[in-house]
Amino acid sequence: MVKLIFLCRRRADITHERYVDLLLSAHVPIALKHHPTMRRYVVNIVERTADGWDALDSIGELSFDSLEDFREQLYDSPAGKAIVERDVAGFMGGADAYATTEYVQKRPAAAALFGTRSAGIKLVCPVARRDGMSHADFVDHWLTRHVPLALAHHPGMTKYVTNVVDQRLGHSGPELDGIAELHFPSTEALATGMFDSPDGERIIRDDIARFIGRTAAYRVAEYPQR
């Protein structure tokens, strides 16, 4: 399965609030109806933009059995394609897209409820590798060395997903090597449970410096749809 992650921005002539309303109330039902090969669909509404990164309004996660399903069988019909494209033009100003491979490192105790906001706090973190490091070496370090440290030293984290970027779709957006997702049950858990101790924080930050050149966190509200 391939997971496509879209970093989305609103049209310049509408507010963020209007964008969110159009996305959740109008676009989501259209997408669910006219994207028959879409296996999973998560809408993340950006509540706080990452420092030093472009402002975003939402981050979409769309999963397909293959990239070919997205490219060749995205719509149920020509009429469905026209409906989706007309709707998107009404609120979307632009989007940067990445094809990724998803690795769920820690699962929550309860399953997501479709169509409603997930409880707690979610951070979506774009990641670019350190200068002088290959993408393959970055992925190896991230999955085999950093993930165990994160699981050991982020005690408040209830779900952890590492999305390895396989390719950027199109020519816009930053060059990324990965996109991480960190979930916490509350703002208090985020504040007090990000690290288990000062030593744990030092271990995490020292390891980040070994393979990450640039990263930050978008704070989002998660709405699983399928």
Side-chain angles (χ1 to χ4, degrees):
M1 185 173 287
V2 61
K3 179 177 177 180
L4 307 184
I5 299 180
F6 293 84
L7 310 182
C8 305
R9 300 171 296 278
R10 69 184 185 272
R11 277 179 28 170
D13 60 334
I14 65 174
T15 65
H16 173 74
E17 290 72 22
R18 179 59 175 160
Y19 173 94
V20 171
D21 180 59
L22 291 171
L23 174 58
L24 292 179
S25 64
H27 181 73
V28 164
I30 290 173
L32 291 172
K33 180 177 180 179
H34 295 293
H35 293 327
T37 61
M38 183 173 63
R39 301 306 181 200
R40 288 185 290 158
Y41 183 29
V42 177
V43 174
N44 301 288
I45 302 301
V46 174
E47 298 183 325
R48 184 179 302 168
T49 289
D51 292 340
W53 292 74
D54 290 343
L56 299 176
D57 292 279
S58 68
I59 299 173
E61 305 170 37
L62 288 69
S63 296
F64 299 83
D65 287 336
S66 68
L67 194 55
E68 288 67 32
D69 279 349
F70 167 72
R71 287 175 167 160
E72 301 172 10
Q73 302 184 67
L74 178 59
Y75 304 102
D76 57 345
S77 65
K81 179 180 180 181
I83 290 169
V84 172
E85 290 180 345
R86 183 169 57 249
D87 181 69
V88 168
F91 70 96
M92 188 78 69
D96 307 322
Y98 302 85
T100 76
T101 299
E102 177 188 67
Y103 298 86
V104 180
Q105 309 292 353
K106 185 175 185 178
R107 296 183 183 275
L113 295 177
F114 296 138
T116 62
R117 177 175 177 167
S118 299
I121 304 298
K122 180 177 179 179
L123 305 178
V124 178
C125 308
V127 183
R129 67 183 183 271
R130 181 175 59 82
D131 288 344
M133 182 178 237
S134 70
H135 176 72
D137 286 343
F138 165 90
V139 172
D140 180 67
H141 188 110
W142 194 19
L143 298 184
T144 65
R145 298 183 61 183
H146 186 76
V147 165
L149 295 178
L151 293 173
H153 297 294
H154 295 323
M157 185 171 61
T158 54
K159 183 180 179 181
Y160 180 34
V161 179
T162 52
N163 302 291
V164 172
V165 172
D166 300 314
Q167 65 180 103
R168 184 176 60 171
L169 304 180
H171 303 289
S172 68
E175 292 284 357
L176 298 178
D177 295 277
I179 301 171
E181 304 168 41
L182 287 70
H183 298 242
F184 294 83
S186 65
T187 53
E188 180 181 2
L190 175 62
T192 63
M194 175 63 82
F195 301 105
D196 57 344
S197 66
D199 282 344
E201 181 176 2
R202 176 185 54 78
I203 290 169
I204 291 292
R205 296 194 184 280
D206 285 350
D207 189 64
I208 285 174
R210 295 186 183 99
F211 75 109
I212 293 178
R214 186 178 181 223
T215 189
Y218 289 91
R219 182 166 166 172
V220 305
E222 179 188 72
Y223 291 82
Q225 305 294 343
R226 175 180 289 173

